[in-house]
Amino acid sequence: MAVRAIRGATQLDVDEREHLLERSAELVRAVLEANDLENEDLISILFTVTPDLHSEFPAVAGRQIGLTDVPLMCMQEIAVPHALPRVVRMMVHTESQRSREKIQHVYLHGAVALRPDLTGAQ
């Protein structure tokens, strides 16, 4: 079985704790579902947030939906002037029998603009 990295991102409407937790949980669930993953398949998840988000750690959402034995870490993105605002990104490390070509990266809400090549939003 191979180790795979799966990308995902979502954009928030506002920097409010409950909204951040809701969107972050939605993103985690969407990545797991799109790639047929269970908690025991996960190695770790790295979350990043743009500098304009500070109401909560996205990892809290992971814990709330049951990822209590998966290492989760949060970091801040670099402050690039033209970057899309209010974005939570994640990289899931997992064991999977899927080839790289079969991995489904997930971009939700305004974050589809980050990777139109992966979302069909070209």
Side-chain angles (χ1 to χ4, degrees):
M1 193 163 319
V3 173
R4 300 286 182 223
I6 305 169
R7 291 288 315 269
T10 189
Q11 186 179 38
L12 279 60
D13 298 324
V14 293
D15 181 27
E16 293 177 356
R17 182 178 190 274
E18 290 306 315
H19 185 57
L20 184 141
L21 292 173
E22 176 185 306
R23 289 277 171 100
S24 298
E26 175 189 34
L27 179 61
V28 172
R29 286 184 183 116
V31 167
L32 297 181
E33 182 179 312
N35 292 282
D36 297 317
L37 296 171
E38 301 293 330
N39 289 14
E40 57 269 6
D41 300 322
L42 303 178
I43 296 168
S44 64
I45 301 177
L46 302 176
F47 293 95
T48 65
V49 296
T50 50
D52 52 1
L53 295 178
H54 48 78
S55 60
E56 186 55 273
F57 297 104
V60 171
R63 299 283 179 239
Q64 289 178 342
I65 64 170
L67 302 180
T68 57
D69 62 347
V70 177
L72 308 176
M73 182 177 278
C74 299
M75 294 162 276
Q76 188 177 74
E77 292 278 339
I78 58 174
V80 176
H82 60 277
L84 191 64
R86 300 177 315 280
V87 174
V88 174
R89 291 175 174 87
M90 65 182 252
M91 183 176 296
V92 176
H93 299 102
T94 184
E95 294 179 333
S96 177
Q97 293 187 21
R98 287 183 180 217
S99 65
R100 281 189 186 174
E101 298 77 32
K102 301 280 185 186
I103 293 294
Q104 297 294 308
H105 305 280
V106 176
Y107 292 81
L108 303 175
H109 306 288
V112 298
L114 296 171
R115 291 298 305 263
D117 57 317
L118 297 178
T119 62
Q122 296 177 344

